[in-house]
Amino acid sequence: MKTKVGIIGGGPSGLMLSQLLDLQGIDNVVLEKHSREYVLGRIRAGVLEHGFAELMREAECGERMDAEGEIHDGFFIADNGRKRRVDLAGHTGGNSVVVYGQTELTRDLYDARAKMGGKVIHNVEDVALHDLTSDTPYITYREGDEIIRVDCDYVIGADGFHGPSRKAIPANVLKEYEKVYPFGWLGVLSRTKPVSPELIYSKSDRGFALCSLRSQVLSRYYIQVPLTDRIEDWSDDAFWAELKRRLPAEDAAKLETGPSIEKSIAPLRSFVAEPMRYGNLFLAGDAAHIVPPTGARGLNSAASDIYYLYHAMLDHYKKGDDTGLETYSAKALARVWKAQRFSWWMTTLLHKLPDNIAYEDKLQATDLEYLFSSEAALTSLAENYVGLPF
Ligand code: APR
Ligand code: PHB
């Protein structure tokens, strides 16, 4: 098989790039390890920044998001029962975020790819990357007993944190930066009315909690748990009881509970791999960086990678200009690190940090007090939360 751009991974990053390139007539193939049903069965976060929503529209996939997604121009931060609102629109000249499940967004991208006859190959096994520093890189994969070779100009590693792309960069070139937090998030999805029309990020002495939503009939809640907790230890009843203890009394009182549709524990991790380009391999999204979910930045750091890569490819194929490709890694990493800083800051601001000394707990409390005493600090929070410009 021969194509211009060989994309490994059919998550939001790979599909979005594939769709944008195809709309410009740039031939590409997406190789995905799992079935479409498996990919769409994963429950992921649900906040899209303004810039990502724009990219969905540019990719001609924004119709359902615009019809069903909710525009949120603020959220709440609670501090041991005291709830204060962050006015996103007021602090950013009218910007907002869209609450729309990443699972739905991935479904829209798959549908758009299918409608255009895009080449998305599922259930590929043993994906391997070859000759990345040559002008003729290629990818191989196995389908049953057959090894298939895909020759391409460029390889895009959009295969998430565990995929083979990042690992194809030699150890003496790749530098990895990682912070693993000493807690995880226990998440529950339930067919209940959300307790609050806007998200509540709640700091409490018992640990952090988040009230989020997918729609007016579908709620998503999280609580901070020790990494040693197992999902079997958490009955639905135990989850609801603990969530209530961590919310302001008025919200706890009106919390609607019900059976969980999905329940899982996810560890919190910050991770960056540098560089994001090796020869003709370009990394994008979770393959190159991970953020803890607290700042709602996961998909949004991927969005700027895709934006830069898309424009770099356009310049290369339409104008013969390789500046965008040459500068991709540095440009992408500059924004990635800002999303890292913000996610780390939101995480350390709001969680109960088990390794803190008393002095650090005091600083953490002061950080929150300062935030709500300063228009400049609130503006900084708001501009990061709605998304820094690409
Ligand atoms: N071969 C082919 N595909 C693979 C392989 C492999 N060996 N390994 C992993 N993949 C696929 C995964 O099955 C997955 O569908 O690559 C895809 C990567 O998708 P994601 O993990 O969703 O990563 P990405 O597309 O970068 O999405 C960005 O935003 O909200 C965050 O973390 C969240 O996943 C989300 C991310
Ligand atoms: C979610 O709805 O899953 C969600 C929302 C905001 C976050 C993290 C997760 O910061």
Side-chain angles (χ1 to χ4, degrees), residues 258-303:
S260 60
I261 308 172
E262 194 264 357
K263 188 161 58 178
S264 53
I265 296 181
L268 266 68
R269 182 201 305 271
S270 294
F271 174 86
V272 182
E274 294 187 351
M276 285 174 62
R277 175 192 188 175
Y278 174 69
N280 285 316
L281 164 68
F282 294 82
L283 300 180
D286 277 18
H289 42 78
I290 301 280
V291 284
T294 326
R297 291 308 65 204
L299 188 55
N300 302 299
S301 332

Side-chain angles (χ1 to χ4, degrees), residues 3-22 26-33 113 119-121 124 127 129 139 141 150-159 165 281-282 284 306 309 313:
T3 188
K4 288 196 163 72
V5 185
I7 302 173
I8 306 173
S13 300
L15 293 170
M16 173 68 96
L17 184 64
S18 169
Q19 174 73 2
L20 288 166
L21 292 177
D22 213 356
I26 299 172
D27 192 63
N28 67 84
V29 176
V30 175
L31 304 175
E32 166 56 48
K33 184 179 180 177
R113 293 289 46 230
K119 282 173 260 174
V120 181
I121 304 169
V124 300
V127 166
L129 300 80
I139 308 167
Y141 66 91
V150 183
D151 288 289
C152 42
D153 300 339
Y154 299 108
V155 177
I156 307 298
D159 45 1
S165 296
L281 164 68
F282 294 82
I306 299 308
L309 263 183
M313 294 285 168

